[in-house]
């Protein structure tokens, strides 16, 4: 039986991590990988020790749930809590990251962002225009891509 290629493997892990999400508006998962090794994972859910949407309901502002921390931020935070560097890592995300998460990933040293499927709500957070696409487009790939 042939082995799964690495990108497919990491997307499968991200999809499994997403199953732990505690906000039913979107189950999202993120896996941070450096040198084909998982350095951190995250799913969307409340900060540690706080109530979860699944238990007490959503906290909505402008039609966005603000009770949860996005999976990308949780992955970065999990790495930081464990003292693990994210510099040069790649992110495998189950859905298109919102613009604040993109900025956080890039600021954390993530070198490439792969996302499994397009999440339409994320588009409302992104800047528009061709200059943006030229500047940031090189960091993104969609779907199962083999290296």
């Amino acid at each position: 039986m042939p082995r799964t290629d690495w990108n497919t493997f990491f997307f499968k892990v991200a999809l499994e991590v997403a199953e732990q999400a505690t906000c039913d508006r979107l189950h999202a998962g993120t896996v941070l990988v450096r040198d084909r090794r998982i350095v951190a994972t995250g799913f969307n859910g409340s900060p540690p020790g706080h109530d979860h949407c699944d238990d007490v309901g959503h906290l909505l502002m402008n039609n966005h749930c603000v009770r949860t921390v996005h999976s990308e931020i949780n992955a970065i935070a999990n790495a930081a809590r464990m003292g693990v560097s994210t510099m040069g890592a790649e992110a495998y995300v189950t859905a298109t990251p919102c613009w604040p998460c993109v900025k956080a990933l890039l600021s954390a040293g993530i070198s490439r962002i792969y996302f499994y499927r397009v999440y339409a709500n994320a588009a409302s957070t992104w800047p528009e225009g061709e200059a943006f696409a030229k500047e940031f487009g090189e960091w993104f790939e969609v779907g199962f891509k083999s290296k």
Side-chain angles (χ1 to χ4, degrees), residues 70 96-106 122-127 132 135-136 140:
H70 289 189
T96 315
C98 68
W99 183 237
C101 285
V102 168
K103 293 188 295 183
L105 288 166
L106 296 177
S124 67
T125 69
W126 281 61
F132 164 77
E135 185 175 354
F136 290 99
F140 298 97

Side-chain angles (χ1 to χ4, degrees), residues 95-123:
T96 315
C98 68
W99 183 237
C101 285
V102 168
K103 293 188 295 183
L105 288 166
L106 296 177
S107 294
I110 301 303
S111 63
R112 194 130 187 95
I113 302 168
Y114 301 96
F115 55 95
Y116 181 69
R117 69 182 186 293
V118 174
Y119 180 53
N121 287 355

Side-chain angles (χ1 to χ4, degrees), residues 56-95:
V56 298
H58 302 289
L59 180 58
L60 298 177
M61 291 177 56
N62 299 322
N63 201 34
H64 292 282
C65 184
V66 296
R67 184 178 307 284
T68 62
V69 178
H70 289 189
S71 68
E72 302 90 338
I73 302 303
N74 268 328
I76 293 167
N78 287 338
R81 274 196 302 278
M82 301 306 291
V84 175
S85 173
T86 58
M87 186 61 67
E90 297 177 320
Y92 291 82
V93 188
T94 57

Side-chain angles (χ1 to χ4, degrees), residues 6-18 28-34 36-44 70-76 78-79 86 89-95 105 110-115:
W6 287 107
N7 284 5
T8 301
F9 172 76
F10 294 129
F11 271 127
K12 287 180 176 182
V13 173
L15 290 165
E16 190 65 29
V17 168
T30 297
V31 176
L32 302 182
V33 175
R34 190 177 52 246
R36 294 185 179 166
R37 301 289 183 258
I38 295 172
V39 297
T41 64
F43 54 85
N44 59 323
H70 289 189
S71 68
E72 302 90 338
I73 302 303
N74 268 328
I76 293 167
N78 287 338
T86 58
E90 297 177 320
Y92 291 82
V93 188
T94 57
L105 288 166
I110 301 303
S111 63
R112 194 130 187 95
I113 302 168
Y114 301 96
F115 55 95

